[in-house]
Amino acid sequence: MISALVSTGRRRSFTGTPAHLLTLLAAGFACWVIYANIFVISDPLVLGILFVSGILTLLFPVIGHSPNAPDNPTILDWVLCALSLASGVFFFVNAQVISDRITLLDEFTGAQFFFGTAILLLTLEATRRTTGAGLTGIVVAFLIYNWFGYMLPPPFGHGISEFSYLLDILVFTTDGVFGVPIQVVASYVFLFVMFGTLLSKAGGGEFFFDLASAATGNSRGGPAKVAVISSGLYGTMSGSPTSDVVATGSITIPIMKRLGYSKKFAGAVEVAASTGGSAMPPIMGSAAFILAEYTGTPYRDVVYAALIPAMLYYVGVFSQVHLRAVKHDLRPYSGEIPRLSRTFALGWPYIIPIAVIIGMLWVGYSPVMTAGAGALGVVIGTALSGRTRMTPWELIQALGETTLRILPVAGACAAAGLVIGGLSMTGLGMKAANVIITLSGGDLGWTLLLAAVVTIVLGLGMPTPSAYILAAVLVGPALTKIGLPILESHMFLLYYAILSALTPPIAVAALAAAAIADEDPFVIAFEAVRLAAVGFLMPFAFLWNPAILGTGSGLEIAMACIGGIVGAGAIALSFEWVGRQQSGRLAWPIRALLVLGAAASVAPNMAISLAGIVGTAVLSTALLVRPVAVPSEELPPIDNSKNTVD
């Protein structure tokens, strides 16, 4: 059942001439996106039309209709490809006429009705192929409601009863398929993915892994710590929990297993660490760009607000990994540990583009210009060293790979645009907000708890951007109605949309790790939730104390940082510590004190915060003075005859 919801079409791998042709076409499309965003001022509708039709034209031959699709594109794939191209040409040629139409008053011509319906159906099929039946089913359900919802009684009914009305809003304006989500993907997201792809192609992923290995590889539990740090660093390039798991987990999970770490723990560490990458500045994930556009907040402010929570999330994960290593005497990394000085000596060109990104955001340039400058910084910076310099063909490959990486994101965001357009024209978003407030009785705590649960449920089996978009339009108005500031409330939703990637029963990031770890994804997901416990509490913490989001005086922010570090450590200790009690476990009253101390440490009242920090630090220190290492049943003897990772 779950596999059917998340299974996607087969991603075809071409070789020879077809592969080179696809790379050139995809690279050419990437060059057009760069030109349209940086060198000209494009009409949003025209940009959206050309972007979607171009993506769909490439998507159908590349991604098959099912996981068992044949190696070569079928006749149906080529028909859908041709229809996508024809629809794009029609909309582009008639862009001025379409822009001048009076929405809901001017009747459709036969061609407009045909190609508009084609775009709608092609978008649904692209969504099904790229994200699975889960998101597609939700979008279809909303479309059915938009079309036939007039039959429902108040308050859920509406007055729309004609398909042409629906088509006019969803396809011929910037409120539907070509709305905010696809506009963001066609600009910020595409260019930042290009930055990450170029950096990865030049060897940036290996640099980050070596950096993490040099910093923590020699310590107890080194491989798990390497996974935490490298996944967080790689997440700044990928912005996708699943991609992060596949990219870094293919290295870290086998190493952890070889050194005796359980399959469950190895997979869970990678999942928890990779999921946090979508919230890690300076790039974060595509959902963060949508948040910035949707809330009207400068992306620099979003990055600034996300910095402290992201660091505290990784403090929590790292602390639990360290305590687990102490508890079970987990072994350090057994391979060759690169020296930190040598790592920087060889990889200094990779620092240049990261510095460019941070500097451009700090000065206040737009995300589009920042991403463009960062990508240029990769090309120029890596060209300064023969070891990292890319050839012209590698640059073309990176551009082509950028377009291919965007295919699933674009499919999901185009479908999400259909949901947003339908909700805006039927008013269902505000109705859903009223239901949430009614169920919670208007109480802040219950409203936030309901919002968190609904966001996680909406995100099960979905890409993070889709999960956030659905939460923003369905749950966001409820948080606004109870008086929460828009940035704080949407950061709250963003966090739970990200965490849905590791939350059972679907946990798409755990599904990716399960294939590498050879373990049940449910087992990995539940262990990952435990490791990411700080992340689930973090949104409540930064709504309680906005200084965690960087709001307030320097002293308030400093206290929030210190309190957050102490609190994250206390939460980790409450989960992982093993003491001298007869049961071998930390007594529940002590655990409760640690949790209460963690809450007090991040209190907005500085006196309470200071008392919480001191009290929690004293209690934690007392508990850690003489911990007892417990032999782990998870650690079989290492077979020294094995010289390679299985």
Side-chain angles (χ1 to χ4, degrees), residues 118-379:
I119 284 289
L120 185 64
L121 297 177
L122 289 168
T123 299
L124 290 175
E125 173 60 10
T127 303
R128 188 191 67 80
R129 293 190 182 204
T130 56
T131 64
L135 176 59
T136 309
I138 290 177
V139 175
V140 170
F142 276 108
L143 290 177
I144 292 173
Y145 170 79
N146 295 338
W147 194 356
F148 299 106
Y150 68 93
M151 298 179 180
L152 297 175
F156 295 105
H158 57 75
I160 300 169
S161 61
E162 295 182 6
F163 178 73
S164 59
Y165 188 115
L166 185 71
L167 189 65
D168 208 341
I169 297 294
L170 297 184
V171 179
F172 288 86
T173 69
T174 54
D175 291 330
V177 175
F178 310 123
V180 169
I182 210 66
Q183 295 290 333
V184 173
V185 173
S187 53
Y188 314 156
V189 173
F190 192 99
L191 295 176
F192 271 103
V193 169
M194 179 180 67
F195 165 81
T197 305
L198 286 168
L199 190 58
S200 179
K201 193 73 174 177
E206 290 81 359
F207 168 70
F208 289 140
F209 186 84
D210 288 345
L211 186 63
S213 299
T216 61
N218 283 315
S219 63
R220 190 154 43 178
K225 295 174 181 177
V226 170
V228 173
I229 297 176
S230 63
S231 296
L233 293 174
Y234 188 85
T236 65
M237 296 191 298
S238 72
S240 167
T242 305
S243 299
D244 203 344
V245 166
V246 172
T248 59
S250 60
I251 300 173
T252 59
I253 291 175
I255 291 175
M256 284 188 276
K257 287 174 59 181
R258 182 191 172 202
L259 293 180
Y261 293 43
S262 72
K263 296 183 287 186
K264 173 184 70 174
F265 183 63
V269 168
E270 184 59 47
V271 168
S274 296
T275 299
S278 294
M280 174 61 73
I283 300 175
M284 306 175 67
S286 52
F289 299 102
I290 297 172
L291 182 152
E293 189 73 17
Y294 192 79
T295 62
T297 305
Y299 182 67
R300 179 183 64 178
D301 294 348
V302 175
V303 169
Y304 180 65
L307 181 59
I308 297 175
M311 298 302 295
L312 295 180
Y313 174 86
Y314 278 101
V315 167
V317 175
F318 192 91
S319 297
Q320 282 195 247
V321 166
H322 174 72
L323 291 170
R324 183 78 64 93
V326 172
K327 180 165 57 176
H328 294 307
D329 195 23
L330 298 180
R331 304 174 180 97
Y333 187 67
S334 64
E336 181 180 353
I337 304 295
R339 287 184 289 111
L340 196 60
S341 58
R342 177 173 173 78
T343 298
F344 277 108
L346 295 176
W348 61 266
Y350 304 117
I351 305 296
I352 295 174
I354 300 295
V356 170
I357 289 283
I358 295 174
M360 294 283 285
L361 286 174
W362 181 265
V363 172
Y365 281 96
S366 69
V368 168
M369 296 303 297
T370 298
L376 184 62
V378 174
V379 176

Side-chain angles (χ1 to χ4, degrees), residues 578-604:
V578 173
R580 303 180 65 86
Q581 289 87 348
Q582 186 176 358
S583 64
R585 297 286 177 184
L586 190 63
W588 281 106
I590 303 298
R591 293 191 181 197
L593 279 177
L594 287 171
V595 173
L596 289 174
S601 298
V602 295

Side-chain angles (χ1 to χ4, degrees), residues 548-560:
I548 297 176
L549 295 177
T551 301
S553 66
L555 179 59
E556 290 171 334
I557 295 172
M559 285 290 292

